[in-house]
Amino acid sequence: MKALVYHGPGEKAWEEVPDPVIRDTTDAIVRIESTTICGTDLHILKGDTPEVEAGRILGHEAVGTVEAVGAGVTSIRPGDRVLVSCISACARCEYCREGHQGQCTGGGGWIFGYMIDGTQAEYVRVPFADTSTYRVPEGVADEEILMLADILPTGYEVGVLNGRVAPGQTVAVVGAGPVGLAAITGARLYTPSHVIAIDLADTRLTAAAEFGADLTVNNGREDAKAFVQSVTGGRGADVAIEAVGVPETFELCTSLVRPGGKVANIGVHGKPTTLHLESLWIRDITVTTGLVDATSTATLLRLVESHQINAARFVTHKFALSDILTAYDVFGRAADTGAIKVMMTR
Amino acid sequence: MKALVYHGPGEKAWEEVPDPVIRDTTDAIVRIESTTICGTDLHILKGDTPEVEAGRILGHEAVGTVEAVGAGVTSIRPGDRVLVSCISACARCEYCREGHQGQCTGGGGWIFGYMIDGTQAEYVRVPFADTSTYRVPEGVADEEILMLADILPTGYEVGVLNGRVAPGQTVAVVGAGPVGLAAITGARLYTPSHVIAIDLADTRLTAAAEFGADLTVNNGREDAKAFVQSVTGGRGADVAIEAVGVPETFELCTSLVRPGGKVANIGVHGKPTTLHLESLWIRDITVTTGLVDATSTATLLRLVESHQINAARFVTHKFALSDILTAYDVFGRAADTGAIKVMMTR
Amino acid sequence: MKALVYHGPGEKAWEEVPDPVIRDTTDAIVRIESTTICGTDLHILKGDTPEVEAGRILGHEAVGTVEAVGAGVTSIRPGDRVLVSCISACARCEYCREGHQGQCTGGGGWIFGYMIDGTQAEYVRVPFADTSTYRVPEGVADEEILMLADILPTGYEVGVLNGRVAPGQTVAVVGAGPVGLAAITGARLYTPSHVIAIDLADTRLTAAAEFGADLTVNNGREDAKAFVQSVTGGRGADVAIEAVGVPETFELCTSLVRPGGKVANIGVHGKPTTLHLESLWIRDITVTTGLVDATSTATLLRLVESHQINAARFVTHKFALSDILTAYDVFGRAADTGAIKVMMTR
Amino acid sequence: MKALVYHGPGEKAWEEVPDPVIRDTTDAIVRIESTTICGTDLHILKGDTPEVEAGRILGHEAVGTVEAVGAGVTSIRPGDRVLVSCISACARCEYCREGHQGQCTGGGGWIFGYMIDGTQAEYVRVPFADTSTYRVPEGVADEEILMLADILPTGYEVGVLNGRVAPGQTVAVVGAGPVGLAAITGARLYTPSHVIAIDLADTRLTAAAEFGADLTVNNGREDAKAFVQSVTGGRGADVAIEAVGVPETFELCTSLVRPGGKVANIGVHGKPTTLHLESLWIRDITVTTGLVDATSTATLLRLVESHQINAARFVTHKFALSDILTAYDVFGRAADTGAIKVMMTR
């Protein structure tokens, strides 16, 4: 088959590789019909994650059709159309049992396109297929569902649920890239009074407004903290969601929230940050971090099916799977191309 | 009356001052029968909190008898024996209404011995008396109840409840001073599998064992992280409670917890700390901070009354109220005197 | 002043009565600008609540202006425009402190138009005014806010919050009268996949659809249980909200929910009902009951202010306060007049 | 092998049957080392559950050693000593994924000794072995662990967790049979102020006191409601746990709780009960029902291992497995024999 293979920092190719085969009884082989590119794939290509071996097929998001299943797979079968989640869940380790599938110690967690071959290919081997895939409801198109592989549950679980967003609150989302937009989408499910998007790029703030932010701030030009204070009558945001991954934006988040507020970090950080405990110790702040567990996937599927979430809106550009190198180029130059998410279809 | 008056950094005196009087209709005047000294009082005396004015009567913990009440006070009356909480709650601002009385914006919060005259005196004016005092049950001695003014609700709410301690967990308490011992006492209410006390002083670890820590580590001599890992089969603590207030112990706490774990900060910090988001972003960690709200006081009173908590155990030294300068000396040299809490009685 | 006075079963009059005066230091006198009629008022007039004394002024919902305050009132003052909540909260009893203000044992709870004179008058005495009124934000009209005195917090707290409605769920609301419509409004804040309204009257189902029910069932003609089963793929509703108050509808609710589902009772019941424990014992069902506590009022005010809730929509008919007898007639014949809520304005 | 076989109402035999074999890839075969008898087994033998076929091997609780595993089993292997839970969990259906394993729709739930052959035998086939067994820690004896197969998680999850028992509360447990004693054991983990056991038999109340009830009431002789009122200063219990399964005890529970209280039903009911909504609708009551999910098993194992729960205390009589008919006789005449739980060992 053909696949997008990582060949070390800066090097990738769409090339012929052996077809995947069932290795464990809990595996399935899925024929990829749609896949996408994540910011993490760009990080891997830059060499930021040296633990990824050359030769690895990238990608951790897909919709496809089950081609074959191992002897231990009981809930899906060949011909089923499924969402392949970015999180593989063994379902038997203590972390999986307590709902922290992203922390799976039984061989799962985030492994696609990282520890094992991924979904940017014509076929993929899916470990723990029973508990790592979701049947796609009839009549729901790939592009409505593909974002449920990673970005939407990430924004929802790590941003919105960890931040305990509730009706009537003021939610600040710092960073209006794809994950920030997913957090805005998720926050709107709880009817906050205000969702304030904060970013340095006006184009991203325009997208944020389309995705549900009723207020936007360009913190290159404006004082985001003063803005949030003025919106909230001097109180501060109830929840601040960090969707960038640098110390400055994290510190900004901790300065935006009111006493009793929550800071939900989604950003992937490469450096330590400063936590201003000299002022925060007394303010009843909660800071959370997290990798997605995909425990919300069934809920999100129902919301897509009942048209409560418009997940297709994330897809700004579509390509043939074989055109994936162009797709990488367009996604990699998002500032110029306006790409939010790209979709590659078989 | 006589009172312990702060006269600027390093200066204090037990001296004659005017009796307090009712100023607002919601005030009560309470005749102090027992009071104690908090580590915070020592900080104020060192000059660490320049906002405290010279002339201030110190102290924010007391048991006493109601002497007079303002026209708006309805639930206590002269002659009632009451616990005076360190937190004054206006009960009408949004923070009080949501259970964050420590953040009261209606004139309450932590104000005794800080913004207004405190409890190390023969009498004290108690604002918002209806919602800032608790009637002491019949037959419960002062020393069983005095610790409910601050230290026990602080350890319980900010350490145990924020850390969401649950049966079967492993709880690490870093710092075995009075507040750490209160956190250990509170944690035991939820029957964790293990409470591990970590401190640099063997005497404090001995006290920790008496208060309910089944395991102790002197982290001057031993590697606390390795110890916690070995106790938990390599997993890490479910909850780490910070009860010191310096960057090193906070960072230690974030290194002790397992994926999905909680770090509950109680310590009063004077400096920023480093949050290692480069490793923590993916580990589903929750960090909380907080000032006590005293929302647990009624619960703790019931636990004392039903002999489920031995609160008298904190009191290692007793003095006459007029001997308060000696009491300060003994409490200030806790490392030598073995003092946990001192009690001064009228 | 003029007031609507109950004179025993079936008897009421709009008549001259003495002006209310401040009795306790925590009282306020509020000049009524808008008030409304509740189904409960009709019950009292029928004689269903013999504990209500003849001579009582009815009504427990109002928007008005503070005329005078007692010496213990600190957070509102003459001239403030306020919402008068149906729940008076002493804020100092154990129930108030734990957020069960509807169960207040300190002299509050639901008392207006029941134990003390109510709001269908030109003035009303409001006990515990600091914690039983809410300042109305600038620029918000009476009709946008009046429903926050009772019906909206009742539907939201007792129906939606007790039922723990969450995104993606299927919520069945049995009874589409005013309180059922409030529950539908509240449920939509959590973005369920489906809100199914069930009623015997098509006119009420039409209203339910306007208020946010995406599916409606006339259970006089259709099998509601079969309908819910078909919508949910045989699973059952996640939450069923009872908003009628008779045994049949309560039993219907317990038959509609899936294993693990919630039945939130809002209806005022006059008779016992049957609980089918012979089948329910094994199904992980939660049944809740409750009187409103008004703890959500601040949240609902923010949602109205940010145009997330259209509360004015409940008001189908408007009258002068002096025309209250006509208003009672129109509201009492809701089936004919199509009245949901009537509003009387000074 | 030998097994205890049900041959229709009133008929059972310890007889030779074929050894179980692996049927599905997710199965394990476990050699039984210890098993016990549940009240449910007596019900089946009485013919109360006609869905149980003649020829069925009874029993749903065991400790044993893995003999063989199917191709899809990855987390246990032959030679492992395991607890066999009464709940089989497919881990892939929506109920399992949301923590309602007792409601498993993927072929699990409570099936042992009911829908499939059970554990009162020399060997048992365990479906979904990865997610339905628990490795027994080193050094923990069978009798310390056997009660974790059913009775302890049932009392803890369905009684204590559903009832949301918390420190300082008053908990009434109605019925002091084995499950009631398990609920008392579980309640004590949360340090309530009082656990009040209520039963008609003094011998059971004596056992309740040994298991942690600090107060007991024989409601054949005393007025249980008056007793609870007097203990709580007229307020009522915070939580009432029903552990009998008849209408009278359920109704008693709803009369014991305070406004805002919880009634957690554990009892297996054969008849409908009356729910007094005419008084309860206004009292903020929560009623829960449930079958155990065994989600607490890992927690309970840790508590046994750390000696926080004395689970061996339930075992009043021990027998050889081959003496199981005698064991049934002793357990069936518990009132005479004083049996709480009997244990049969290979």
Side-chain angles (χ1 to χ4, degrees), chain A residues 217-302:
Chain A
V217 189
N218 185 315
N219 62 327
R221 290 195 304 267
E222 288 177 79
D223 180 334
K225 182 174 174 184
F227 184 90
V228 170
Q229 292 286 322
S230 80
V231 167
T232 56
R235 210 167 67 128
D238 298 288
V239 183
I241 297 178
E242 206 283 346
V244 178
V246 299
E248 292 73 21
T249 46
F250 180 84
E251 288 186 43
L252 175 60
C253 284
T254 61
S255 78
L256 294 178
V257 294
R258 68 176 183 94
K262 322 288 178 206
V263 174
N265 184 80
I266 318 179
V268 176
H269 289 259
K271 289 189 289 193
T273 186
T274 300
L275 186 67
H276 287 285
L277 281 180
E278 79 280 13
S279 56
L280 295 173
W281 75 268
I282 201 172
R283 281 170 65 82
D284 297 8
I285 301 297
T286 301
V287 174
T288 57
T289 71
L291 183 68
V292 66
D293 295 310
T295 44
S296 68
T297 310
T299 293
L300 294 168
L301 270 166
R302 276 200 286 268

Side-chain angles (χ1 to χ4, degrees), chain D residues 258-274:
Chain D
R258 69 176 182 94
K262 323 287 177 204
V263 174
N265 184 80
I266 318 179
V268 177
H269 289 258
K271 290 189 288 193
T273 187
T274 301

Side-chain angles (χ1 to χ4, degrees), chain A residues 86-148:
Chain A
C86 67
I87 295 298
S88 303
C90 83
R92 39 206 92 174
C93 75
E94 199 160 356
Y95 285 103
C96 281
R97 289 194 197 203
E98 74 176 29
H100 280 122
Q101 288 84 345
Q103 310 291 336
C104 176
T105 56
W110 169 41
I111 53 173
F112 280 129
Y114 179 55
M115 292 295 143
I116 67 170
D117 284 335
T119 59
Q120 292 169 2
E122 291 178 332
Y123 294 91
V124 66
R125 181 180 70 89
V126 179
F128 309 112
D130 275 316
T131 46
S132 311
T133 63
Y134 294 82
R135 237 178 318 212
V136 177
E138 288 289 314
V140 178
D142 283 16
E143 66 188 282
E144 295 179 80
I145 224 76
L146 182 60
M147 296 305 123
L148 273 62

Side-chain angles (χ1 to χ4, degrees), chain D residues 76-116:
Chain D
I76 56 169
R77 55 186 179 201
D80 285 350
R81 190 161 154 256
V82 294
L83 173 73
V84 179
S85 174
C86 66
I87 296 298
S88 302
C90 84
R92 41 206 91 173
C93 75
E94 200 159 358
Y95 285 103
C96 281
R97 290 193 196 203
E98 75 175 28
H100 281 121
Q101 287 85 346
Q103 310 291 336
C104 175
T105 56
W110 169 42
I111 54 174
F112 280 129
Y114 179 55
M115 292 295 144
I116 67 170

